[in-house]
């Protein structure tokens, strides 16, 4: 009830001890399209839904390589996300240059969080409107972190952010205990299945999602459409059995009547043009 | 920027910025060679404990090899005060590294590269740290041995030496070093090198320390002396063949 009085400035507290501007920034993250991350002991997979502004345009890039051993998936204001990705690349390469050694992801994430915190304590700034799922390696193996506009960061076994991410989170909550020892292939499959959960019944095609992976002996790279489609084909059953398996992505996508049960849909409100 | 005026030879004066007069031009108190080798369990590094003031052997208890963090050993020849400055930089670096408390730590490779950056950047400003540094260490079972000079030349090898050690010790090491030396053989090899340096390098003193680094950590020996032999026949009556010399 007091929200409107105390929400103009990021440097104004509410009587209940909240910074509304920061909370509004976190809302922006929830409006962006979904991004998902999961990790095993040795690998991290990042996946996201490709949403295009219109049929005429290409989709926005939401996953960025920061270094061979670190990648980031964003949700929210992609412009803010790009700027922070550039910062992360800069920190990473500066560390590599000075120490000839990869920057441990846990330390990068703290730098990022401290940078976000500054914007919550300056009257002439605004918080970054983007949530970042940072996956990377350090001496103890693979890690996944979530960085929030508030300047907080948390480590996760698996997480999803953006619109309809709750569906993905529910799926991940059921399965996360097995992720630690998952094989690389199972991890990718789980990521794509989690993406499917956010699509609310829309049929899953490889053109709809982007998947990237990094691991202890595997530098960060994107999976190509074929590889993604192959994984999709293993669980999107085609009614008429055709010769061999794993057809190249075409008609069978629609034929996937084995679409998952409807999830309670979150009605998509107005999505501002700058958010994807 | 504060400037002051100094007279020069031809009677004119020149203005010099205050920083200019603080650039390193020559070393004052210097340490001589460091010799280091990789061996079976890690790295061995030997140095004497002398600090020369020009041609005077002024200080005889200077430790020129120090442990850095958990995984590294740093030896230095050249200006002792610059070595102490480098130790202060590394102290700050390792302190901040420890404060992260996150299971990650700077290994010998990282320290070596950091030092290379520092030395090269100082060289570019014409204000070098007047040292040749030897960085050895073990991390996750892998041994590392490298060197950085005052102009930022940097490399890794199985055996390194600084100063006179390059000329007197390395030929011995090239012939006699091999992989997987035992600790005893490694020490014997280093002592052989240090003995030659003691005989032939005028700034060497007969008080040396050998430091060892393995996965378990660093051990620096107590100072000790090498046995020397001066009774070679040619040392008796050395001017026999040269009239007029002494």
């Amino acid at each position: 009830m007091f929200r409107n009085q105390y929400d103009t400035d990021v440097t104004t507290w509410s009587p209940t001890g909240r910074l509304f501007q920061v909370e509004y920034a976190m809302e922006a993250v929830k409006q962006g399209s979904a991004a998902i991350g999961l990790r095993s002991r040795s690998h991290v997979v990042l996946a996201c839904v490709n949403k295009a502004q219109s049929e005429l345009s290409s989709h926005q890039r939401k996953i960025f390589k920061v270094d061979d051993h670190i990648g980031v998936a964003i949700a929210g204001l992609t412009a803010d996300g790009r700027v922070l990705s550039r910062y992360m690349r800069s920190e990473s390469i500066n560390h590599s240059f000075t120490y000839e050694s990869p920057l441990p992801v846990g330390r990068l994430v703290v730098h990022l969080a401290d940078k976000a915190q500054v914007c919550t304590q300056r009257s002439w700034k605004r918080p970054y409107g983007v949530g970042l799922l940072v996956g990377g390696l350090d001496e103890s193996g693979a890690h996944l972190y979530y960085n929030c506009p508030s300047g907080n960061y948390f480590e996760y076994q698996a997480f999803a952010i953006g619109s309809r991410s709750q569906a993905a989170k529910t799926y991940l909550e059921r399965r996360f205990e097995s992720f630690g020892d998952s094989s690389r292939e199972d991890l990718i499959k789980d990521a794509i299945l989690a993406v499917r959960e956010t699509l609310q019944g829309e049929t899953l095609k490889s053109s709809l999602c982007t998947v990237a992976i990094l691991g202890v002996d595997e530098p960060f790279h994107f999976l190509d459409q074929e590889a993604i489609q192959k994984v999709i084909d293993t669980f999107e059953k085609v009614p008429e059995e055709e010769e061999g398996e794993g057809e190249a992505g075409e008609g069978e996508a629609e034929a996937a009547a084995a679409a998952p049960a409807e999830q309670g849909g979150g009605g998509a409100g107005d999505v501002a043009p700058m958010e994807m | 920027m504060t400037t002051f005026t100094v007279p020069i030879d031809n009677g004119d004066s020149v203005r010099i910025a205050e920083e200019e007069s603080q650039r390193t031009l020559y070393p004052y108190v210097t340490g001589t060679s460091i010799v280091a080798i990789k061996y079976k369990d890690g790295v061995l590094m030997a140095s004497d404990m002398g600090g020369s003031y020009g041609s005077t052997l002024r200080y005889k208890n200077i430790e020129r090899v120090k442990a850095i963090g958990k995984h590294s050993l740093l030896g230095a020849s050249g200006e002792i005060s610059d070595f102490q400055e480098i130790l202060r930089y590394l102290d700050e670096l390792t302190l901040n590294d420890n404060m992260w408390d996150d299971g990650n730590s700077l290994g010998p490779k990282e320290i070596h590269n950091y030092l290379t950056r520092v030395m090269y950047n100082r060289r570019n400003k014409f204000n070098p740290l007047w040292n040749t540094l030897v960085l050895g260490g073990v991390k996750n079972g892998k041994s590392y041995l490298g060197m950085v000079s005052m102009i930022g030349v940097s490399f890794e090898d199985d055996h390194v030496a600084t100063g006179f050690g390059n000329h007197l010790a390395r030929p011995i090491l090239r012939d006699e070093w091999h992989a997987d030396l035992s600790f005893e053989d490694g020490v014997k090899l280093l002592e052989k090198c240090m003995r030659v340096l003691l005989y032939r390098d005028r700034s060497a003193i007969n008080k040396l320390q050998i430091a060892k680094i393995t996965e378990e950590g660093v051990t620096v020996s107590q100072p000790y002396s090498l046995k020397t032999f001066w009774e070679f026949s040619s040392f008796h009556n050395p001017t026999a063949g040269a009239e007029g010399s002494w």
Side-chain angles (χ1 to χ4, degrees), chain A residues 35-47 63-64 67-73 105-106 109 132-138 140-146 154-159 179-192 210-223:
Chain A
I36 287 148
L38 7 44
R39 71 153 171 112
S40 69
R41 243 179 284 280
S42 57
H43 288 80
V44 184
V45 177
L46 296 170
I63 301 185
F64 299 92
D67 203 336
D68 283 334
H69 69 294
I70 301 181
V72 59
V105 64
V109 157
L132 303 117
L133 281 172
V134 183
L137 304 174
D138 70 14
S140 45
H143 298 269
L144 174 70
Y145 294 91
Y146 171 53
F154 310 92
E155 184 166 3
Y156 285 97
Q157 187 75 46
F159 201 49
F179 288 166
D181 297 310
S182 256
S183 71
R184 182 186 174 279
E185 286 63 37
D186 282 340
L187 212 62
I188 294 174
K189 189 162 160 195
D190 274 316
I192 298 179
T210 304
V211 182
I213 185 167
L214 66 98
V216 169
D217 292 310
E218 190 176 347
F220 178 94
H221 65 278
F222 290 94
L223 296 179

Side-chain angles (χ1 to χ4, degrees), chain B residues 77-135:
Chain B
S77 64
E79 173 62 55
I80 299 297
S81 63
D82 283 349
F83 176 48
Q84 291 171 346
E85 185 76 349
I86 289 168
L87 290 175
R88 269 190 288 275
Y89 287 153
L90 288 178
D91 204 33
E92 205 180 306
L93 186 71
T94 49
L95 185 71
N96 286 321
D97 190 45
N98 288 337
M99 287 207 301
W100 279 103
D101 199 20
D102 63 353
N104 295 302
S105 56
L106 294 169
K109 179 163 90 135
E110 287 81 15
I111 309 254
H112 184 219
N113 279 285
Y114 170 78
L115 289 172
T116 307
R117 290 292 114 232
V118 169
M119 301 299 270
Y120 184 65
N121 277 311
R122 290 286 298 251
R123 165 260 199 202
N124 285 339
K125 295 195 285 197
F126 282 91
N127 187 16
L129 288 160
W130 206 285
N131 294 110
T132 306
L133 304 168
V134 175
L135 201 296

Side-chain angles (χ1 to χ4, degrees), chain A residues 34-260:
Chain A
I36 287 148
L38 7 44
R39 71 153 171 112
S40 69
R41 243 179 284 280
S42 57
H43 288 80
V44 184
V45 177
L46 296 170
C48 71
V49 175
N50 299 340
K51 274 283 160 59
Q53 194 78 306
S54 73
E55 275 186 32
L56 299 171
S57 74
S58 61
H59 65 86
Q60 285 242 5
R61 215 147 62 97
K62 285 159 52 79
I63 301 185
F64 299 92
K65 171 175 166 172
V66 169
D67 203 336
D68 283 334
H69 69 294
I70 301 181
V72 59
I74 63 172
L77 267 59
T78 35
D80 283 3
R82 250 195 353 266
V83 161
L84 289 178
S85 302
R86 186 163 55 232
Y87 170 74
M88 292 167 76
R89 286 172 174 169
S90 186
E91 289 296 291
S92 202
I93 208 169
N94 284 338
H95 189 273
S96 287
F97 175 70
T98 309
Y99 301 102
E100 273 277 331
S101 195
L103 174 61
V105 64
R107 297 189 183 187
L108 176 62
V109 157
V110 173
H111 288 315
L112 198 54
D114 288 345
K115 193 169 159 69
Q117 190 280 339
V118 169
C119 300
T120 67
Q121 212 176 3
R122 305 279 185 273
S123 61
W124 62 91
K125 285 180 179 267
R126 63 158 178 82
Y128 289 103
V130 63
L132 303 117
L133 281 172
V134 183
L137 304 174
D138 70 14
E139 278 184 56
S140 45
H143 298 269
L144 174 70
Y145 294 91
Y146 171 53
N147 277 74
C148 201
S150 61
N152 282 327
Y153 68 97
F154 310 92
E155 184 166 3
Y156 285 97
Q157 187 75 46
F159 201 49
I161 55 177
S163 71
R164 287 178 279 187
S165 58
Q166 188 50 53
K169 271 190 271 195
T170 312
Y171 172 80
L172 294 169
E173 270 167 31
R174 284 203 306 267
R175 314 244 325 156
F176 77 94
E177 265 150 347
S178 64
F179 288 166
D181 297 310
S182 256
S183 71
R184 182 186 174 279
E185 286 63 37
D186 282 340
L187 212 62
I188 294 174
K189 189 162 160 195
D190 274 316
I192 298 179
L193 281 168
V195 168
R196 189 176 71 165
E197 298 297 306
T198 69
L199 291 173
Q200 308 284 39
E202 199 183 329
T203 39
L204 178 64
K205 295 193 277 268
S206 62
S207 56
L208 269 181
C209 60
T210 304
V211 182
I213 185 167
L214 66 98
V216 169
D217 292 310
E218 190 176 347
F220 178 94
H221 65 278
F222 290 94
L223 296 179
D224 60 34
Q225 295 288 66
E226 264 179 57
I228 299 176
Q229 192 56 54
K230 265 220 212 50
V231 179
I232 293 176
D233 292 338
T234 62
F235 52 76
E236 296 278 301
K237 291 286 178 283
V238 184
E240 334 91 272
E241 201 66 57
E242 285 191 26
E243 305 276 334
E245 14 194 280
E247 309 91 86
E250 267 166 64
E252 86 298 313
E254 297 97 66

